[in-house]
Amino acid sequence: MKIKSIRTRVLRWSGKTVAPQANFCTNASDALFERGDSMGSFRFHEWLICEVETDNGIVGIGNAALAPTITKQIIDTYLAPLVIGEDPFDNEYLWQKMYRRTHAWGRKGVGMVAISAIDIAIWDIMGKATGKPVFKLLGGRTKEQIPVYASKLYGQSIDALAKEAQSYVDQGFDMVKMRFGWGPKDGPAGMRKNLDLVKTVREVIGPDRDLMLECYMGWNLEYTKRMLPKLAEFEPRWLEEPVIADDLAGYAELNNMNIVPISGGEHEFTNFGFKTLLDMNALSVIQYDTNRVGGITAAQKINALAEAYQVPVIPHAGQMHNYHLTMANLNCPISEFFPVFDVEVGNELFYYVFKGDPVPKNGFIDLDDDLPGLGLEIAEDALGEFEIIE
Ligand SMILES: O=C(O)[C@H](O)[C@H](O)[C@@H](O)CO
Ligand SMILES: [Mg+2]
């Protein structure tokens, strides 16, 4: 079997979007003096689809959400010529070929995102060719079902936040992740508002459900050190991305304070990136995203490394490319789930592009043992609300 062609499309959402409210979510741009739309860099309103076709007609589907138009160019210009004509079952060789041929500029960021999209498609091909779901090629079923946490609860009024949190309890979720609305530039008043948000959600979900807290790189080391003792009383399962991805020492200092477990990794790349973080004891939970980190080939290597350190892996994003890894690894205990809403930040866009993502029931999702590949189809009949850049 050989790879015959690669087709990339960028889908630009032109349908209804919900504008984020003020103080919707802290993020790395908050450190800039102009508030403006600090969420500007934080939209996922485009998605890249990467279809890899073999000479016997099997089509594997990969995807990417970061910088889709650039990722498309990287695949079309640099990566497709490297893998066309090759055997998709040589996935390790193909990953190394893409990684080493673009090493000068592609080992992190959009270069690795592009490699991820092709690698995910290759694993979809291997599943379809063998008649096995991808997780059965990675280690098989390690769970009856996958527990999922409802991940939204962006900054909003206290009443609205409580109502949204209650809706997840009513749907049977035992774990929720919320976002902060304020950070270092908002001073003590912002700290109090952040703590009010956490207090509200903790009161709604009660003491026996997991509460996770998301900063999305919007805080810094000094502010987080002041916040951690104030957050401890709410017993969060983790505090996520308190500092920017390059502040490895900050991650390590915060995690080694052992006040609240620190999580991160959705903006880190390859097993080398995570070896450094693990050696520094910088994370208590690893959260790579398979469509960024290097695809399934890279993610599975990180899973093995993390297991040796006994650091759990809970990939960013409730999407199929992550669910298969979670199902196949004992050290991946739960998955994230983005509730389906109107398009806001864009995490929800995945459900508009693809068909097949499992729907949670009572706080769990499951995968089909008999559905080959990733189990996704492109929702071609629903792409009318997208501008398609081919
Ligand atoms: O952990 C997450 O879900 C991500 O950081 C989100 O995609 C981002 O929207 C911040 O909430
Ligand atoms: Mg996150």
Side-chain angles (χ1 to χ4, degrees), residues 209-271:
R209 289 187 177 85
D210 278 336
L211 173 60
M212 289 75 116
L213 308 177
E214 163 79 87
C215 309
Y216 199 60
M217 306 176 283
W219 290 359
N220 59 30
L221 176 60
E222 181 270 336
Y223 184 87
T224 309
K225 285 165 75 173
R226 293 163 60 202
M227 282 297 285
L228 283 176
K230 301 175 192 291
L231 292 168
E233 69 171 286
F234 301 106
E235 297 181 285
R237 182 164 173 172
W238 69 68
L239 180 74
E240 183 168 335
E241 288 204 302
V243 296
I244 55 171
D246 283 332
D247 187 4
L248 306 186
Y251 266 107
E253 184 171 345
L254 294 168
N255 198 47
N256 288 290
M257 288 171 74
N258 288 314
I259 298 174
V260 172
I262 302 300
S263 74
E266 69 181 86
H267 298 105
E268 192 46 76
F269 304 87
T270 78
N271 54 344

Side-chain angles (χ1 to χ4, degrees), residues 128-356:
K128 287 169 176 172
T130 54
K132 294 286 181 190
V134 167
F135 71 87
K136 288 284 187 182
L137 306 179
L138 293 168
R141 177 176 288 275
T142 64
K143 302 165 182 67
E144 281 291 306
Q145 298 180 85
I146 301 175
V148 287
Y149 70 89
S151 180
K152 202 166 182 289
L153 296 168
Y154 285 94
Q156 55 195 301
S157 72
I158 291 294
D159 289 350
L161 186 74
K163 190 161 167 264
E164 185 187 338
Q166 186 58 51
S167 73
Y168 300 135
V169 171
D170 297 344
Q171 292 170 56
F173 288 99
D174 280 335
M175 305 175 281
V176 299
K177 181 160 88 180
M178 62 180 287
R179 276 72 180 173
F180 290 104
W182 292 271
K185 71 171 33 168
D186 303 302
M191 284 187 170
R192 271 196 301 282
K193 290 176 187 168
N194 279 333
L195 293 168
D196 286 346
L197 296 178
V198 180
K199 182 171 180 292
T200 300
V201 175
R202 178 48 87 191
E203 280 171 358
V204 167
I205 67 172
D208 298 333
R209 289 187 177 85
D210 278 336
L211 173 60
M212 289 75 116
L213 308 177
E214 163 79 87
C215 309
Y216 199 60
M217 306 176 283
W219 290 359
N220 59 30
L221 176 60
E222 181 270 336
Y223 184 87
T224 309
K225 285 165 75 173
R226 293 163 60 202
M227 282 297 285
L228 283 176
K230 301 175 192 291
L231 292 168
E233 69 171 286
F234 301 106
E235 297 181 285
R237 182 164 173 172
W238 69 68
L239 180 74
E240 183 168 335
E241 288 204 302
V243 296
I244 55 171
D246 283 332
D247 187 4
L248 306 186
Y251 266 107
E253 184 171 345
L254 294 168
N255 198 47
N256 288 290
M257 288 171 74
N258 288 314
I259 298 174
V260 172
I262 302 300
S263 74
E266 69 181 86
H267 298 105
E268 192 46 76
F269 304 87
T270 78
N271 54 344
F272 289 103
F274 285 93
K275 178 188 181 302
T276 304
L277 286 163
L278 288 165
D279 286 344
M280 296 170 76
N281 190 36
L283 293 178
S284 292
V285 178
I286 281 179
Q287 297 173 302
Y288 61 65
D289 194 329
T290 305
N291 71 358
R292 305 174 180 180
V293 75
I296 293 170
T297 300
Q300 190 65 340
K301 292 179 181 177
I302 296 161
N303 288 335
L305 194 57
E307 183 176 328
Y309 283 78
Q310 280 296 283
V311 171
V313 177
I314 302 173
H316 164 260
Q319 287 153 8
M320 229 19 155
H321 45 265
N322 294 314
Y323 288 146
H324 282 267
L325 286 147
T326 299
M327 179 58 88
N329 286 276
L330 209 57
N331 191 45
C332 297
I334 64 174
S335 284
E336 181 167 23
F337 175 75
F338 292 133
V340 182
F341 278 82
D342 290 333
V343 176
E344 206 167 31
V345 167
N347 291 323
E348 314 80 8
L349 211 55
F350 195 85
Y351 305 116
Y352 292 75
V353 173
F354 297 103
K355 287 190 281 198

